PDB file of all heavy atoms in Angstrom:
ATOM      1  N   MET A  53      -0.669  -9.549 -58.603  1.00 93.00           N
ATOM      2  CA  MET A  53      -0.839  -8.151 -58.458  1.00 93.00           C
ATOM      3  C   MET A  53      -0.722  -7.674 -56.952  1.00 93.00           C
ATOM      4  O   MET A  53      -0.010  -6.722 -56.667  1.00 93.00           O
ATOM      5  CB  MET A  53      -2.112  -7.680 -59.090  1.00 93.00           C
ATOM      6  CG  MET A  53      -2.346  -6.180 -58.973  1.00 93.00           C
ATOM      7  SD  MET A  53      -1.481  -5.198 -60.126  1.00 93.00           S
ATOM      8  CE  MET A  53      -2.447  -3.733 -60.133  1.00 93.00           C
ATOM      9  N   MET A  57       2.108  -4.950 -55.776  1.00 94.00           N
ATOM     10  CA  MET A  57       1.840  -3.648 -55.124  1.00 94.00           C
ATOM     11  C   MET A  57       2.433  -3.600 -53.797  1.00 94.00           C
ATOM     12  O   MET A  57       2.970  -2.519 -53.374  1.00 94.00           O
ATOM     13  CB  MET A  57       0.323  -3.440 -55.103  1.00 94.00           C
ATOM     14  CG  MET A  57      -0.389  -3.280 -56.482  1.00 94.00           C
ATOM     15  SD  MET A  57       0.354  -1.908 -57.472  1.00 94.00           S
ATOM     16  CE  MET A  57       0.117  -0.484 -56.358  1.00 94.00           C
ATOM     17  N   LEU A  60       6.174  -2.990 -54.215  1.00 93.00           N
ATOM     18  CA  LEU A  60       6.432  -1.621 -54.688  1.00 93.00           C
ATOM     19  C   LEU A  60       6.423  -0.661 -53.455  1.00 93.00           C
ATOM     20  O   LEU A  60       7.351   0.210 -53.384  1.00 93.00           O
ATOM     21  CB  LEU A  60       5.389  -1.216 -55.693  1.00 93.00           C
ATOM     22  CG  LEU A  60       5.657   0.071 -56.513  1.00 93.00           C
ATOM     23  CD1 LEU A  60       6.688  -0.221 -57.559  1.00 93.00           C
ATOM     24  CD2 LEU A  60       4.400   0.567 -57.173  1.00 93.00           C
ATOM     25  N   ASN A  61       5.471  -0.836 -52.572  1.00 93.00           N
ATOM     26  CA  ASN A  61       5.390  -0.009 -51.407  1.00 93.00           C
ATOM     27  C   ASN A  61       6.507  -0.330 -50.437  1.00 93.00           C
ATOM     28  O   ASN A  61       7.078   0.640 -49.775  1.00 93.00           O
ATOM     29  CB  ASN A  61       4.001  -0.157 -50.765  1.00 93.00           C
ATOM     30  CG  ASN A  61       2.941   0.414 -51.569  1.00 93.00           C
ATOM     31  OD1 ASN A  61       3.037   1.466 -52.175  1.00 93.00           O
ATOM     32  ND2 ASN A  61       1.797  -0.256 -51.608  1.00 93.00           N
ATOM     33  N   HIS A  66       6.728   3.530 -54.650  1.00 96.00           N
ATOM     34  CA  HIS A  66       5.405   3.955 -55.085  1.00 96.00           C
ATOM     35  C   HIS A  66       5.413   5.375 -55.683  1.00 96.00           C
ATOM     36  O   HIS A  66       5.035   5.610 -56.828  1.00 96.00           O
ATOM     37  CB  HIS A  66       4.426   3.872 -53.923  1.00 96.00           C
ATOM     38  CG  HIS A  66       3.028   4.351 -54.238  1.00 96.00           C
ATOM     39  ND1 HIS A  66       2.693   5.626 -54.357  1.00 96.00           N
ATOM     40  CD2 HIS A  66       1.851   3.638 -54.454  1.00 96.00           C
ATOM     41  CE1 HIS A  66       1.429   5.781 -54.613  1.00 96.00           C
ATOM     42  NE2 HIS A  66       0.907   4.586 -54.691  1.00 96.00           N
ATOM     43  N   VAL A  70       4.948   6.742 -59.638  1.00 98.00           N
ATOM     44  CA  VAL A  70       3.902   7.649 -59.957  1.00 98.00           C
ATOM     45  C   VAL A  70       4.443   8.894 -60.645  1.00 98.00           C
ATOM     46  O   VAL A  70       3.942   9.383 -61.675  1.00 98.00           O
ATOM     47  CB  VAL A  70       3.047   8.020 -58.728  1.00 98.00           C
ATOM     48  CG1 VAL A  70       2.053   9.167 -59.038  1.00 98.00           C
ATOM     49  CG2 VAL A  70       2.261   6.826 -58.246  1.00 98.00           C
ATOM     50  N   ILE A  83       2.619  -6.765 -65.462  1.00 95.00           N
ATOM     51  CA  ILE A  83       2.083  -6.071 -64.213  1.00 95.00           C
ATOM     52  C   ILE A  83       2.358  -4.596 -64.224  1.00 95.00           C
ATOM     53  O   ILE A  83       1.631  -3.783 -63.651  1.00 95.00           O
ATOM     54  CB  ILE A  83       2.741  -6.779 -62.946  1.00 95.00           C
ATOM     55  CG1 ILE A  83       2.205  -8.203 -62.830  1.00 95.00           C
ATOM     56  CG2 ILE A  83       2.300  -6.054 -61.685  1.00 95.00           C
ATOM     57  CD1 ILE A  83       0.789  -8.372 -62.563  1.00 95.00           C
ATOM     58  N   LEU A  85       1.912  -2.766 -66.601  1.00 97.00           N
ATOM     59  CA  LEU A  85       0.684  -2.137 -67.221  1.00 97.00           C
ATOM     60  C   LEU A  85      -0.456  -2.195 -66.208  1.00 97.00           C
ATOM     61  O   LEU A  85      -1.099  -1.138 -65.970  1.00 97.00           O
ATOM     62  CB  LEU A  85       0.327  -2.939 -68.462  1.00 97.00           C
ATOM     63  CG  LEU A  85      -1.136  -2.803 -68.959  1.00 97.00           C
ATOM     64  CD1 LEU A  85      -1.383  -1.476 -69.605  1.00 97.00           C
ATOM     65  CD2 LEU A  85      -1.481  -3.948 -69.897  1.00 97.00           C
ATOM     66  N   GLN A  86      -0.678  -3.297 -65.633  1.00 97.00           N
ATOM     67  CA  GLN A  86      -1.856  -3.494 -64.777  1.00 97.00           C
ATOM     68  C   GLN A  86      -1.853  -2.563 -63.588  1.00 97.00           C
ATOM     69  O   GLN A  86      -2.881  -2.028 -63.183  1.00 97.00           O
ATOM     70  CB  GLN A  86      -1.969  -4.942 -64.322  1.00 97.00           C
ATOM     71  CG  GLN A  86      -2.195  -5.933 -65.476  1.00 97.00           C
ATOM     72  CD  GLN A  86      -2.353  -7.337 -65.011  1.00 97.00           C
ATOM     73  OE1 GLN A  86      -2.350  -7.623 -63.784  1.00 97.00           O
ATOM     74  NE2 GLN A  86      -2.367  -8.322 -65.934  1.00 97.00           N
ATOM     75  N   MET A  87      -0.710  -2.328 -63.003  1.00 97.00           N
ATOM     76  CA  MET A  87      -0.663  -1.480 -61.740  1.00 97.00           C
ATOM     77  C   MET A  87      -0.972  -0.006 -62.041  1.00 97.00           C
ATOM     78  O   MET A  87      -1.284   0.751 -61.110  1.00 97.00           O
ATOM     79  CB  MET A  87       0.748  -1.540 -61.120  1.00 97.00           C
ATOM     80  CG  MET A  87       1.849  -0.947 -61.926  1.00 97.00           C
ATOM     81  SD  MET A  87       3.401  -0.800 -60.986  1.00 97.00           S
ATOM     82  CE  MET A  87       3.689  -2.442 -60.449  1.00 97.00           C
ATOM     83  N   LEU A  88      -1.027   0.405 -63.338  1.00 98.00           N
ATOM     84  CA  LEU A  88      -1.361   1.802 -63.663  1.00 98.00           C
ATOM     85  C   LEU A  88      -2.860   2.103 -63.438  1.00 98.00           C
ATOM     86  O   LEU A  88      -3.230   3.257 -63.333  1.00 98.00           O
ATOM     87  CB  LEU A  88      -0.977   2.128 -65.097  1.00 98.00           C
ATOM     88  CG  LEU A  88       0.431   2.111 -65.504  1.00 98.00           C
ATOM     89  CD1 LEU A  88       0.610   2.206 -67.014  1.00 98.00           C
ATOM     90  CD2 LEU A  88       1.249   3.147 -64.754  1.00 98.00           C
ATOM     91  N   PHE A  89      -3.645   1.067 -63.303  1.00 98.00           N
ATOM     92  CA  PHE A  89      -5.100   1.245 -63.272  1.00 98.00           C
ATOM     93  C   PHE A  89      -5.608   1.312 -61.807  1.00 98.00           C
ATOM     94  O   PHE A  89      -4.803   1.209 -60.844  1.00 98.00           O
ATOM     95  CB  PHE A  89      -5.806   0.159 -64.138  1.00 98.00           C
ATOM     96  CG  PHE A  89      -5.555   0.392 -65.561  1.00 98.00           C
ATOM     97  CD1 PHE A  89      -4.363  -0.055 -66.171  1.00 98.00           C
ATOM     98  CD2 PHE A  89      -6.471   1.095 -66.307  1.00 98.00           C
ATOM     99  CE1 PHE A  89      -4.125   0.247 -67.558  1.00 98.00           C
ATOM    100  CE2 PHE A  89      -6.230   1.372 -67.627  1.00 98.00           C
ATOM    101  CZ  PHE A  89      -5.111   0.944 -68.263  1.00 98.00           C
ATOM    102  N   GLU A  90      -6.864   1.439 -61.656  1.00 98.00           N
ATOM    103  CA  GLU A  90      -7.458   1.744 -60.311  1.00 98.00           C
ATOM    104  C   GLU A  90      -7.521   0.543 -59.371  1.00 98.00           C
ATOM    105  O   GLU A  90      -7.303   0.730 -58.138  1.00 98.00           O
ATOM    106  CB  GLU A  90      -8.889   2.371 -60.498  1.00 98.00           C
ATOM    107  CG  GLU A  90      -8.852   3.717 -61.235  1.00 98.00           C
ATOM    108  CD  GLU A  90     -10.226   4.121 -61.642  1.00 98.00           C
ATOM    109  OE1 GLU A  90     -10.852   3.441 -62.511  1.00 98.00           O
ATOM    110  OE2 GLU A  90     -10.692   5.136 -61.161  1.00 98.00           O
ATOM    111  N   GLU A  91      -7.781  -0.604 -59.894  1.00 97.00           N
ATOM    112  CA  GLU A  91      -7.962  -1.748 -59.001  1.00 97.00           C
ATOM    113  C   GLU A  91      -7.843  -3.057 -59.816  1.00 97.00           C
ATOM    114  O   GLU A  91      -7.969  -3.026 -61.030  1.00 97.00           O
ATOM    115  CB  GLU A  91      -9.293  -1.730 -58.277  1.00 97.00           C
ATOM    116  CG  GLU A  91     -10.523  -1.760 -59.168  1.00 97.00           C
ATOM    117  CD  GLU A  91     -11.787  -1.793 -58.381  1.00 97.00           C
ATOM    118  OE1 GLU A  91     -11.891  -2.427 -57.345  1.00 97.00           O
ATOM    119  OE2 GLU A  91     -12.779  -1.109 -58.840  1.00 97.00           O
ATOM    120  N   SER A  92      -7.626  -4.152 -59.152  1.00 97.00           N
ATOM    121  CA  SER A  92      -7.549  -5.459 -59.742  1.00 97.00           C
ATOM    122  C   SER A  92      -8.416  -6.439 -59.033  1.00 97.00           C
ATOM    123  O   SER A  92      -8.502  -6.457 -57.809  1.00 97.00           O
ATOM    124  CB  SER A  92      -6.089  -5.939 -59.776  1.00 97.00           C
ATOM    125  OG  SER A  92      -6.002  -7.261 -60.271  1.00 97.00           O
ATOM    126  N   HIS A  96      -8.343  -8.183 -55.098  1.00 94.00           N
ATOM    127  CA  HIS A  96      -9.103  -6.941 -54.826  1.00 94.00           C
ATOM    128  C   HIS A  96      -8.223  -5.849 -54.301  1.00 94.00           C
ATOM    129  O   HIS A  96      -8.531  -5.170 -53.331  1.00 94.00           O
ATOM    130  CB  HIS A  96     -10.249  -7.190 -53.856  1.00 94.00           C
ATOM    131  CG  HIS A  96     -11.217  -8.259 -54.381  1.00 94.00           C
ATOM    132  ND1 HIS A  96     -12.111  -8.080 -55.419  1.00 94.00           N
ATOM    133  CD2 HIS A  96     -11.385  -9.539 -53.999  1.00 94.00           C
ATOM    134  CE1 HIS A  96     -12.806  -9.175 -55.635  1.00 94.00           C
ATOM    135  NE2 HIS A  96     -12.358 -10.092 -54.838  1.00 94.00           N
ATOM    136  N   VAL A  97      -7.087  -5.663 -54.969  1.00 96.00           N
ATOM    137  CA  VAL A  97      -6.096  -4.694 -54.550  1.00 96.00           C
ATOM    138  C   VAL A  97      -6.191  -3.394 -55.355  1.00 96.00           C
ATOM    139  O   VAL A  97      -6.541  -3.426 -56.541  1.00 96.00           O
ATOM    140  CB  VAL A  97      -4.684  -5.304 -54.696  1.00 96.00           C
ATOM    141  CG1 VAL A  97      -4.346  -5.567 -56.163  1.00 96.00           C
ATOM    142  CG2 VAL A  97      -3.599  -4.446 -54.052  1.00 96.00           C
ATOM    143  N   ARG A  98      -5.896  -2.300 -54.687  1.00 97.00           N
ATOM    144  CA  ARG A  98      -5.851  -1.031 -55.400  1.00 97.00           C
ATOM    145  C   ARG A  98      -4.578  -0.848 -56.213  1.00 97.00           C
ATOM    146  O   ARG A  98      -3.480  -1.310 -55.809  1.00 97.00           O
ATOM    147  CB  ARG A  98      -5.899   0.149 -54.383  1.00 97.00           C
ATOM    148  CG  ARG A  98      -7.166   0.161 -53.573  1.00 97.00           C
ATOM    149  CD  ARG A  98      -8.382   0.540 -54.426  1.00 97.00           C
ATOM    150  NE  ARG A  98      -8.244   1.842 -55.090  1.00 97.00           N
ATOM    151  CZ  ARG A  98      -9.183   2.324 -55.878  1.00 97.00           C
ATOM    152  NH1 ARG A  98     -10.261   1.652 -56.180  1.00 97.00           N
ATOM    153  NH2 ARG A  98      -9.033   3.550 -56.385  1.00 97.00           N
ATOM    154  N   GLY A  99      -4.726  -0.260 -57.390  1.00 97.00           N
ATOM    155  CA  GLY A  99      -3.554   0.039 -58.212  1.00 97.00           C
ATOM    156  C   GLY A  99      -3.090   1.461 -57.939  1.00 97.00           C
ATOM    157  O   GLY A  99      -3.469   2.086 -56.936  1.00 97.00           O
ATOM    158  N   LEU A 100      -2.323   2.046 -58.904  1.00 97.00           N
ATOM    159  CA  LEU A 100      -1.817   3.323 -58.728  1.00 97.00           C
ATOM    160  C   LEU A 100      -2.828   4.420 -59.165  1.00 97.00           C
ATOM    161  O   LEU A 100      -2.558   5.590 -58.922  1.00 97.00           O
ATOM    162  CB  LEU A 100      -0.501   3.498 -59.581  1.00 97.00           C
ATOM    163  CG  LEU A 100       0.627   2.560 -59.216  1.00 97.00           C
ATOM    164  CD1 LEU A 100       1.819   2.782 -60.103  1.00 97.00           C
ATOM    165  CD2 LEU A 100       1.072   2.836 -57.728  1.00 97.00           C
ATOM    166  N   SER A 101      -3.877   4.044 -59.846  1.00 97.00           N
ATOM    167  CA  SER A 101      -4.931   4.940 -60.252  1.00 97.00           C
ATOM    168  C   SER A 101      -4.413   6.071 -61.135  1.00 97.00           C
ATOM    169  O   SER A 101      -4.965   7.210 -61.072  1.00 97.00           O
ATOM    170  CB  SER A 101      -5.717   5.540 -59.016  1.00 97.00           C
ATOM    171  OG  SER A 101      -6.306   4.487 -58.319  1.00 97.00           O
ATOM    172  N   ILE A 102      -3.464   5.769 -61.967  1.00 98.00           N
ATOM    173  CA  ILE A 102      -2.946   6.803 -62.933  1.00 98.00           C
ATOM    174  C   ILE A 102      -3.894   6.795 -64.167  1.00 98.00           C
ATOM    175  O   ILE A 102      -4.076   7.807 -64.793  1.00 98.00           O
ATOM    176  CB  ILE A 102      -1.501   6.431 -63.329  1.00 98.00           C
ATOM    177  CG1 ILE A 102      -0.601   6.622 -62.098  1.00 98.00           C
ATOM    178  CG2 ILE A 102      -0.996   7.308 -64.498  1.00 98.00           C
ATOM    179  CD1 ILE A 102       0.758   6.044 -62.272  1.00 98.00           C
ATOM    180  N   LEU A 103      -4.401   5.613 -64.533  1.00 98.00           N
ATOM    181  CA  LEU A 103      -5.337   5.480 -65.649  1.00 98.00           C
ATOM    182  C   LEU A 103      -6.659   4.889 -65.181  1.00 98.00           C
ATOM    183  O   LEU A 103      -6.685   4.161 -64.213  1.00 98.00           O
ATOM    184  CB  LEU A 103      -4.739   4.587 -66.753  1.00 98.00           C
ATOM    185  CG  LEU A 103      -3.412   5.067 -67.339  1.00 98.00           C
ATOM    186  CD1 LEU A 103      -2.852   4.018 -68.298  1.00 98.00           C
ATOM    187  CD2 LEU A 103      -3.577   6.423 -68.059  1.00 98.00           C
ATOM    188  N   GLY A 105      -9.911   2.531 -64.962  1.00 98.00           N
ATOM    189  CA  GLY A 105     -10.315   1.176 -65.271  1.00 98.00           C
ATOM    190  C   GLY A 105      -9.817   0.160 -64.217  1.00 98.00           C
ATOM    191  O   GLY A 105      -9.223   0.538 -63.242  1.00 98.00           O
ATOM    192  N   LYS A 106     -10.118  -1.078 -64.499  1.00 98.00           N
ATOM    193  CA  LYS A 106      -9.802  -2.151 -63.552  1.00 98.00           C
ATOM    194  C   LYS A 106      -9.170  -3.351 -64.330  1.00 98.00           C
ATOM    195  O   LYS A 106      -9.271  -3.450 -65.562  1.00 98.00           O
ATOM    196  CB  LYS A 106     -10.919  -2.563 -62.758  1.00 98.00           C
ATOM    197  CG  LYS A 106     -12.127  -3.092 -63.606  1.00 98.00           C
ATOM    198  CD  LYS A 106     -13.332  -3.446 -62.697  1.00 98.00           C
ATOM    199  CE  LYS A 106     -14.492  -4.000 -63.557  1.00 98.00           C
ATOM    200  NZ  LYS A 106     -15.659  -4.314 -62.666  1.00 98.00           N
ATOM    201  N   VAL A 107      -8.551  -4.172 -63.587  1.00 98.00           N
ATOM    202  CA  VAL A 107      -7.847  -5.393 -64.098  1.00 98.00           C
ATOM    203  C   VAL A 107      -8.811  -6.604 -63.794  1.00 98.00           C
ATOM    204  O   VAL A 107      -9.127  -6.780 -62.627  1.00 98.00           O
ATOM    205  CB  VAL A 107      -6.522  -5.599 -63.576  1.00 98.00           C
ATOM    206  CG1 VAL A 107      -5.852  -6.815 -64.094  1.00 98.00           C
ATOM    207  CG2 VAL A 107      -5.625  -4.360 -63.876  1.00 98.00           C
TER     208      VAL A 107
END
Side-chain angles (χ1 to χ4, degrees):
M53 181 77 160
M57 293 305 302
L60 194 73
N61 291 320
H66 178 285
V70 170
I83 294 291
L85 160 74
Q86 295 181 7
M87 68 171 54
L88 295 173
F89 290 83
E90 295 167 297
E91 61 179 322
S92 175
H96 302 286
V97 66
R98 297 292 299 176
L100 298 176
S101 297
I102 294 169
L103 298 175
K106 59 183 180 180
V107 179

